[in-house]
């Protein structure tokens, strides 16, 4: 998979949490019809086998697909890491995953051991690219030091209601691109009329405005929907650009300070930058 195709595909991925079974297959088939070629799953989601079966059933060539999965922190120990990845590959029905991420830093905050296991898997050729998720700036620096190839991404909570400017600056310094989960803050953004108001000027929905803002910040997006019309809307965000004025208006919304993934939800979460 060439670098340009990788980046273009990775820009807009279908997140698959919490899809399961027939619902997962239906969403993946609909997404492929829309044009998606990047799909994001995880050991933690419990749906790798569903994703693998659905993709295998589509007839789309393997080299046209970009599959991301993530290693569960419970599998970070040296005796569990490689077997868990091998099981993920069997479930996904692939010999190599395109992107393999560490889903969270370990609760101890000591990231080196799991990064070293990730690097071993990369060297074995079981993952074309590797990366991390929910990492702080200090953790990203360690990842860049330990991984013997460019780190594909740090997947983090990213939407217009949270200020991630410090993390973005740190990621740029380290050279690790960010990718977004919870791009519309699980619907929280729709409580704010600004996005729909801006959307009227572009003939776009509030959700499309939010996604376009994320892309123009240089961050890739992972979105999930069960509905074909929403899948298409989430995908159709490349045919317009937000003006610098509208970008600034949305930038101001980050002062809202709405972080979804707090320690109340994820007690193992690090001290966020």
């Amino acid at each position: 998979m060439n670098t340009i195709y990788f980046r273009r595909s990775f820009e807009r991925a279908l997140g698959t949490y919490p899809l399961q079974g027939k619902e997962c297959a239906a969403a993946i088939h609909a997404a492929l019809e829309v044009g998606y070629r990047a799909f994001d799953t995880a050991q933690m989601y419990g749906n790798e086998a569903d994703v693998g079966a659905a993709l295998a059933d589509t007839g789309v060539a393997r080299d046209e697909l970009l599959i991301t999965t993530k290693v569960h922190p419970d599998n970070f120990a040296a005796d569990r890491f490689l077997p868990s990845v091998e099981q993920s590959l069997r479930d996904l029905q692939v010999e190599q995953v395109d992107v393999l991420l560490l889903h969270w830093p370990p609760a101890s905050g000591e990231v080196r051991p799991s990064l070293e296991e990730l690097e071993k898997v990369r060297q074995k050729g079981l993952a074309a690219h590797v990366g991390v998720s929910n990492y702080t700036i200090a953790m990203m620096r360690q990842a860049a030091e330990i991984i013997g190839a460019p780190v594909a991404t740090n997947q983090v909570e990213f939407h217009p209601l949270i200020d991630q400017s410090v993390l973005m600056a740190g990621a740029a310094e380290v050279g690790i691109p960010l990718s977004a989960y919870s791009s519309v803050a699980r619907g929280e953004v729709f409580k704010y009329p600004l996005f729909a108001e801006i959307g009227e000027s572009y003939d776009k929905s509030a959700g499309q405005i939010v996604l376009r803002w994320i892309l123009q910040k240089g961050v890739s997006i992972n979105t999930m929907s069960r509905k074909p019309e929403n899948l298409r809307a989430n995908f159709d965000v490349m045919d317009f650009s937000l003006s610098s004025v509208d970008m600034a208006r949305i930038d101001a919304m980050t002062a809202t300070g709405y972080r979804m993934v707090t320690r109340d939800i994820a007690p193992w979460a690090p001290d966020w930058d």
Side-chain angles (χ1 to χ4, degrees):
M1 183 177 292
N2 67 57
T3 302
I4 294 175
Y5 184 83
F6 174 86
R7 283 298 164 201
R8 285 179 177 171
S9 298
F10 198 61
E11 276 185 324
R12 293 167 293 172
L14 179 74
T16 61
Y17 179 80
L19 302 174
Q20 303 280 336
K22 292 181 179 179
E23 185 178 55
C24 181
I28 286 175
H29 280 262
L32 284 164
E33 288 184 13
V34 165
Y36 285 91
R37 291 297 181 267
F39 297 87
D40 181 281
T41 182
Q43 294 173 356
M44 191 179 288
Y45 300 168
N47 67 359
E48 287 175 311
D50 294 325
V51 171
L55 290 174
D57 186 49
T58 65
V60 176
R62 174 67 184 94
D63 62 3
E64 293 183 22
L65 298 172
L66 197 157
I67 303 172
T68 297
T69 195
K70 312 177 196 73
V71 181
H72 195 301
D74 287 352
N75 294 323
F76 283 175
D79 62 337
R80 299 185 64 168
F81 199 100
L82 177 59
S84 82
V85 174
E86 292 173 334
Q87 184 60 54
S88 290
L89 297 184
R90 286 192 290 271
D91 288 342
L92 290 166
Q93 301 184 37
V94 297
E95 295 182 358
Q96 180 191 67
V97 71
D98 298 291
V99 185
L100 182 68
L101 307 181
L102 301 177
H103 205 151
W104 284 90
S108 66
E110 178 49 62
V111 297
R112 177 172 288 274
S114 52
L115 285 166
E116 289 176 345
E117 293 302 316
L118 184 67
E119 172 63 2
K120 290 176 187 176
V121 165
R122 186 192 69 81
Q123 290 183 7
K124 285 180 178 291
L126 300 184
H129 306 272
V130 297
V132 296
S133 185
N134 297 299
Y135 264 37
T136 64
I137 296 170
M139 291 171 179
M140 282 193 287
R141 289 196 183 103
Q142 290 188 69
E145 171 194 332
I146 293 167
I147 301 300
V151 179
T153 193
N154 180 16
Q155 190 180 106
V156 297
E157 178 180 350
F158 199 100
H159 50 75
L161 304 182
I162 182 175
D163 185 353
Q164 292 284 38
S165 58
V166 172
L167 186 68
M168 285 187 69
E173 177 188 335
V174 177
I176 299 178
L178 296 183
S179 53
Y181 67 76
S182 298
S183 304
V184 295
R186 296 186 184 171
E188 186 71 16
V189 297
F190 301 124
K191 296 179 181 179
Y192 297 83
L194 175 68
F195 305 112
E197 176 190 327
I198 292 175
E200 291 178 2
S201 302
Y202 298 88
D203 195 25
K204 295 290 182 179
S205 69
Q208 288 173 313
I209 295 301
V210 168
L211 297 179
R212 185 65 209 176
W213 175 83
I214 294 172
L215 287 170
Q216 286 184 219
K217 301 297 282 187
V219 177
S220 303
I221 54 176
N222 290 278
T223 57
M224 190 286 292
S225 180
R226 300 168 177 85
K227 299 178 180 179
E229 61 271 24
N230 290 343
L231 288 167
R232 181 167 295 281
N234 291 342
F235 193 76
D236 289 343
V237 291
M238 306 300 284
D239 60 350
F240 75 106
S241 294
L242 294 170
S243 69
S244 58
V245 171
D246 286 330
M247 286 293 291
R249 293 172 71 193
I250 298 173
D251 286 348
M253 293 297 295
T254 63
T256 305
Y258 179 78
R259 181 183 287 278
M260 294 180 52
V261 184
T262 63
R263 282 189 169 160
D264 292 335
I265 296 172
W268 55 85
D271 292 326
W272 303 112
D273 292 306

